[in-house]
Amino acid sequence: MNFRIENVLQTSRRGFLKGSAGLALAVVAPGMAHAGTGAGPGIAGSSMVDGDFSPNAFLRIGTDNSVTVVSKHLEMGQGVYTGLATLVAEELDADWAQVKVEGAPADAGRYSNLFWKAQGTGGSTAIANSFEQMRRAGATARAMLVSAAAAQWKVPASQITVKSGVVSHAASGRKATFGELSEAAAKVAVPADVTLKDPKDFTLIGHSAPRKDSLAKTTGRATFTQDIKLPGMLTAVVAHAPRFGGKVKSVDDKAARAVAGVTDVVTIDNGVAVLARDYWTAKKGRDALKIVWDESSAYHGSSDAILADYRELAKTPGLVARKDGDAEAALARAGKVYEAEFAFPFLAHASMEPLNCVMKLDADGCEVWNGEQLHTGDQYALAKALSLKPEQVKLNMVYAGGSFGRRANPQSDYLLETAQIAKAIKGRVPVKLVWSREDDMRGGYYRPLYLHRVRAALDAKGMPVAWQHRIVGQSIIAGSPFEPMLVKDGIDATSVEGASTLPYAIPNLNVDLHTTNATVKVPVQWWRSVGSTHTGFSSEVFIDELAAAAGKDPVAYRLAMLAKHPRHAGVLKLAADKAGWGKPLAASADGKRGRGVAVHESFNSFVAEVVEVTVHKDGEFTVDRVVCAVDCGVAVNPDVIKAQMEGGIGYALAAALSGAITLKDGLVEQSNFNDYTVLRINQMPKVEVHIVKSAAKPTGVGEPGVPPLAPALVNALHAATGKRIRALPIGEQLQTT
Amino acid sequence: MTTLNVNGRDVAVDLPADTPLLWALRDGLHMNGTKFGCGMSLCGACTVHVDGQATRACVTPLSAVAGKKVTTIEAVGDSDVGRRVQQAWIDLDVVQCGYCQSGQIMSATALLAKTPRPSDEDIDAAMSGNICRCGTYVRIRKAIRQAAGMPAEDAA
């Protein structure tokens, strides 16, 4: 019963639309109606009532004239509830105000990510994989409403129009709302095929419909996992092993049990959980535990030592990820070889909502409330751990207070922890696992630490003739259910993406990889933009170094090598143009100004950013402005795309300035926002976002804003000071070098 | 048992007096709008008003607010300033994941109540204790200016 992506059957779009058509009961799994503590979208808590019309699993039209779109994807801030609803409402010709959104339950048969053949949210795929599927869902419902009206009014369907949620027949003056037609529409046969709109007729796609979650999130009414309350529920706080791989040898829980209100103390695989009616009591109990740890298989590595080992490894060839020509031979022939080493620390996701999970375990199975990002994987993992069938594991997807990848854990780590606790108390009452900020920061599953070594040679005109890019680090995918899909011939595609896909025309271009999972035992995971978090940096900083060595303008230098990559070139030119590239920056009395650029493709979207800085005499600097250009195909919601670019820039800037998780003798040295500092409002630059007009299929926007920021910033600092920073975070390197 | 005034109502909370106000609100009074982010007054997600002052509820023991007036996100819209702030947040679609936004709105409202026309420096000073990992800061700044009836960007 091990979950493997390829084993999860995917129902075809057509088959699905037919198969579930007209089944009013199919939308929300039974038993979920009691999930709610609160109103508002984000919880799949409502259910069908008589007369509701549900032509497929993605929408339901109520007799109250409401249109409820069921989102198969997690809303974690990226705006997907709004985006998916836009697609459905566009083809349905609904009035935006009548549209509501709720989260889908776990059901890979119906709610699969069409790019993965399993249900889950990530890789900036939500809109890309749903674009046609959601539009068809809306168009199908529209056709059925029209058929119902045609039958009622005894007029040809071709004479009926639909606009803003109203179905009309102009000649007879008849009109009806969706709600008035829902009962009749439910009895109409599902059309075999539907015609989608010509993009020129779009009224919602491309028009920045307001976010569907703004009101709930502005009034404190949105329901996150942390807000779920169930009758009798206990809160669990866990004392985790201080080192990865550590286990409990013995525990003295007398003092913990003596805390008034503590109900249970249970030992689980990697720690001891204390349960109480409220968090504070459980935390007091947890803090009173005296635990002796079994560290016989605990990991004792240190960041410095890992980096030193990687540096040695980088001297030897790794597994080949890309081989155009022969870079080594070309380098051997070259008069001068340019060489640089780039270093990247472990990074925590540090979402605002520390990890948590609510679970109810009983004879029928297990029910979970979670900011659920990897439904199918979590469902199978829980089923295995609890000796249940996958269909006995019900997952209720609620809003996630950020994720940046962390809630899509291929090992289902915090869900399995919750299951162990629920099992230990024999499902007596529902359990809410709550990690403290410190638990979250020290709980692992970081962006891996990497070291890159890049060497290049230039031809007589200063253009690169050889480029040898070596990457050393842990594989995120190895040992996960995604391995069959993403690891080929020992190469984890996510370790090299962005480097193996370098767009520049260089005749001898080699990329190789050392994977270090055999020796480095730090739990690692994808972090907003995954491989591009590091490959985008080394590539775009090094190309800037080569431009400088050749005495060429960084934008012109890149463009000269992008003839076959018009979308890279397009965003690069647009960002440069809007930033006033080539015109001098306004001087500052406070210090030296500088401007830097980077362009990168990730998740099939293309982003270029120009960063402007002021470097003060003491080496402190401010990031003044970022001009961003993005080409993500059809812009379904331009304002959400802008927001994702703004946010991606902020998230990337935090990491570039000071983001680092460091290990010393296996202990994580950071604990909270005092020593893992993140961006604050006073550090946020002005951001300008320009979207390329495109008719191409929509691609990702959640992650692609991240990769260009750090290299563009470092390139700007170089322009201002002549100093080149190659190790992240930047920290105080300008002061000390 | 501690008695305090939350959103205009006197309420009794049956939790130990050292329980932080955050957990008294969430676990004692089942008011979910105020969020847990760091537990150490570092992120601002738990910001409420105590006698009108922006206060981090995660480090404020229940005993310290006995008899005081606490306002939370659930009632901030009862004041004219709070209502304007929430409206600006909605108009500009500030939120992303939304988890920090209760705290952001409470801090912004406290700022505007005291400083109706804040400078960018005033905004930085009042808001830099509130972390947003989604990076909605550009819009937070704009929304505060809009709520204050000021142009979107400082002319200076």
Side-chain angles (χ1 to χ4, degrees), chain A residues 574-591:
Chain A
L574 180 60
D577 178 48
K578 296 291 182 185
W581 188 269
K583 292 177 197 143
L585 281 168
S588 164
D590 298 335

Side-chain angles (χ1 to χ4, degrees), chain B residues 9-48:
Chain B
R9 276 190 316 134
D10 285 331
V11 291
V13 184
D14 187 18
L15 284 169
D18 67 343
T19 304
L21 174 60
L22 169 65
W23 297 108
L25 291 168
R26 294 188 57 85
D27 289 344
L29 298 169
H30 303 288
M31 296 171 67
N32 283 331
T34 307
K35 299 302 185 200
F36 166 54
C38 71
M40 286 180 67
S41 188
L42 295 166
C43 80
C46 66
T47 307
V48 297

Side-chain angles (χ1 to χ4, degrees), chain A residues 567 570-571 574 606 629-635 690-695:
Chain A
R567 295 178 78 182
V571 290
L574 180 60
F606 305 80
V630 52
D631 176 353
C632 56
V634 171
H690 303 277
I691 302 171
V692 173
K693 204 169 164 52
S694 170

Side-chain angles (χ1 to χ4, degrees), chain A residues 244-463:
Chain A
F244 301 118
K247 292 190 180 315
V248 178
K249 185 182 268 176
S250 65
V251 56
D252 172 357
D253 63 9
K254 263 192 225 85
R257 287 185 185 277
V259 174
V262 167
T263 59
D264 302 81
V265 179
V266 297
T267 297
I268 56 171
D269 275 357
N270 68 335
V272 179
V274 177
L275 284 76
R277 289 292 294 277
D278 66 286
Y279 174 84
W280 191 247
T281 301
K283 184 183 174 294
K284 275 203 257 184
R286 190 269 303 264
D287 294 348
L289 289 169
K290 292 188 189 80
I291 302 170
V292 179
W293 299 98
D294 168 6
E295 299 207 306
S296 52
S297 17
Y299 179 65
H300 282 261
S302 297
S303 290
D304 289 350
I306 295 170
L307 201 60
D309 287 348
Y310 284 10
R311 199 164 278 138
E312 284 305 305
L313 263 178
K315 291 176 182 165
T316 62
L319 293 175
V320 175
R322 177 171 174 184
K323 196 167 193 313
D324 297 1
D326 188 338
E328 286 298 347
L331 288 167
R333 284 196 302 271
K336 181 171 171 57
V337 172
Y338 297 88
E339 178 164 0
E341 177 197 289
F342 297 91
F344 305 88
F346 293 110
L347 289 174
H349 303 75
S351 307
M352 287 313 296
E353 181 183 19
L355 287 174
N356 46 25
C357 178
V358 175
M359 192 173 294
K360 184 157 87 70
L361 196 58
D362 58 30
D364 299 331
C366 155
E367 186 163 7
V368 174
W369 290 260
N370 179 32
E372 181 58 54
Q373 198 175 347
L374 222 48
H375 298 74
T376 309
D378 289 340
Q379 193 178 31
Y380 276 67
L382 287 171
K384 190 182 174 199
L386 295 167
S387 306
L388 298 169
K389 292 179 191 141
E391 57 270 25
Q392 288 177 285
V393 177
K394 281 184 208 159
L395 301 178
N396 301 303
M397 179 174 71
V398 299
Y399 285 133
S403 169
F404 313 111
R406 183 63 180 87
R407 281 186 180 267
N409 184 282
Q411 322 298 342
S412 305
D413 68 325
Y414 66 95
L415 287 100
L416 291 179
E417 186 171 305
T418 315
Q420 285 197 14
I421 298 165
K423 210 169 152 182
I425 64 159
K426 301 185 172 65
R428 191 179 81 239
V429 286
V431 171
K432 183 198 285 184
L433 171 73
V434 179
W435 281 18
S436 68
R437 174 57 56 193
E438 292 79 5
D439 294 327
D440 191 276
M441 199 74 84
R442 292 181 162 163
Y445 294 102
Y446 305 124
R447 195 288 303 273
L449 182 156
Y450 287 100
L451 182 113
H452 292 208
R453 182 169 176 244
V454 196
R455 289 176 299 144
L458 306 180
D459 64 16
K461 291 175 186 158
M463 301 312 289

Side-chain angles (χ1 to χ4, degrees), chain A residues 23 49 99 189 330 411 418 431 530:
Chain A
L23 294 177
V49 295
V99 178
Q411 322 298 342
T418 315
V431 171
V530 200

